[in-house]
Amino acid sequence: MDKFVISGGPCAGKSTLLEEMVRRGYKALPEAALLLIEEDATNFRYDPERFSHQVYLKQHELEQNISQDDLILLDRSLIDSVAYYLSRKREVPQDLEDFISQTNYRGVFFLEMLPEVYWYQTKNQYPRRQTYQAGKRIHHMLKKVYTQHLKPMIIIPVAPVNKRADIIEEYIKEYVQNHP
């Protein structure tokens, strides 16, 4: 099983890029946080500690159910949860670190954030609850945490979605050729 992560801060274009990759025939795992918000948005708004815990448990569950034969793109990963804990100056739970040590991510495509003009043009139905500056802070924390946890990190610059998808597709094709 080959798991590649697509990550980046809020307003990086992850949802749009994943839609394009699925259109091109790739399998994708949805973002655990959005699945939980759709189930019960109150946890997100009123108990962020509980919600954070639920996010990484849901992410772990989703990843455990991936077929062994799949090449799959993940909309975020367990490593994102580490960055969110650290950004709130919280201790990272040991079971989260244990889950991460058991993963076999092949790399992360880290998307640079889109300009502020796109901040409120979110693809999902839930409005952003943070400012663009707060989003930039989490973006930088995510980049720092991914740099510490996962190699390779392929930086995907701001570009039209088809160009971003081309970069990822080229990398994956090269990876598949070199890792039959």
Side-chain angles (χ1 to χ4, degrees):
M1 154 185 21
D2 293 314
K3 297 188 286 190
F4 290 93
V5 179
I6 294 181
S7 190
C11 197
K14 296 177 299 294
S15 299
T16 302
L17 179 57
L18 275 165
E19 286 174 9
E20 175 63 16
M21 297 307 292
V22 168
R23 189 189 69 71
R24 293 181 183 207
Y26 291 89
K27 294 180 182 179
L29 195 69
E31 182 180 355
L34 285 180
L35 294 176
L36 289 170
I37 290 168
E38 289 169 2
E39 290 172 12
D40 182 4
T42 59
N43 286 331
F44 177 64
R45 294 189 174 117
Y46 303 113
D47 193 349
E49 294 303 316
R50 181 171 170 234
F51 181 73
S52 293
H53 182 76
Q54 289 178 332
V55 167
Y56 78 78
L57 291 178
K58 181 70 164 181
Q59 183 71 33
H60 180 65
E61 173 192 329
L62 291 169
E63 290 184 30
Q64 292 301 306
N65 292 324
I66 298 170
S67 167
Q68 293 297 325
D69 300 327
D70 285 344
L71 185 150
I72 192 157
L73 300 172
L74 282 63
D75 187 346
R76 300 194 178 269
S77 76
L78 292 165
I79 297 169
D80 288 70
S81 291
V82 172
Y84 278 90
Y85 273 100
L86 294 175
S87 72
R88 290 193 324 272
K89 298 182 179 9
R90 300 288 191 259
E91 185 174 331
V92 177
Q94 185 58 51
D95 62 337
L96 174 55
E97 290 287 0
D98 293 344
F99 291 157
I100 291 170
S101 72
Q102 299 166 15
T103 63
N104 59 344
Y105 303 131
R106 301 297 186 217
V108 58
F109 299 105
F110 195 85
L111 279 59
E112 292 296 350
M113 282 181 70
L114 301 175
E116 188 171 6
V117 67
Y118 297 103
W119 185 250
Y120 296 103
Q121 298 175 13
T122 180
K123 281 267 212 203
N124 62 59
Q125 66 189 16
Y126 306 101
R128 298 195 191 282
R129 298 182 56 86
Q130 59 192 177
T131 66
Y132 186 74
Q133 292 305 317
K136 283 176 71 172
R137 284 191 296 276
I138 190 65
H139 177 82
H140 293 297
M141 179 62 76
L142 283 160
K143 188 181 272 187
K144 177 181 176 183
V145 170
Y146 268 101
T147 299
Q148 295 167 349
H149 279 80
L150 186 59
K151 303 284 191 268
M153 176 189 284
I154 299 91
I155 302 295
I156 307 297
V158 173
V161 68
N162 62 321
K163 298 291 186 199
R164 286 176 142 191
D166 289 345
I167 294 167
I168 291 174
E169 194 165 44
E170 183 179 314
Y171 183 89
I172 289 173
K173 285 179 180 177
E174 185 177 317
Y175 174 86
V176 170
Q177 282 180 336
N178 294 325
H179 299 86

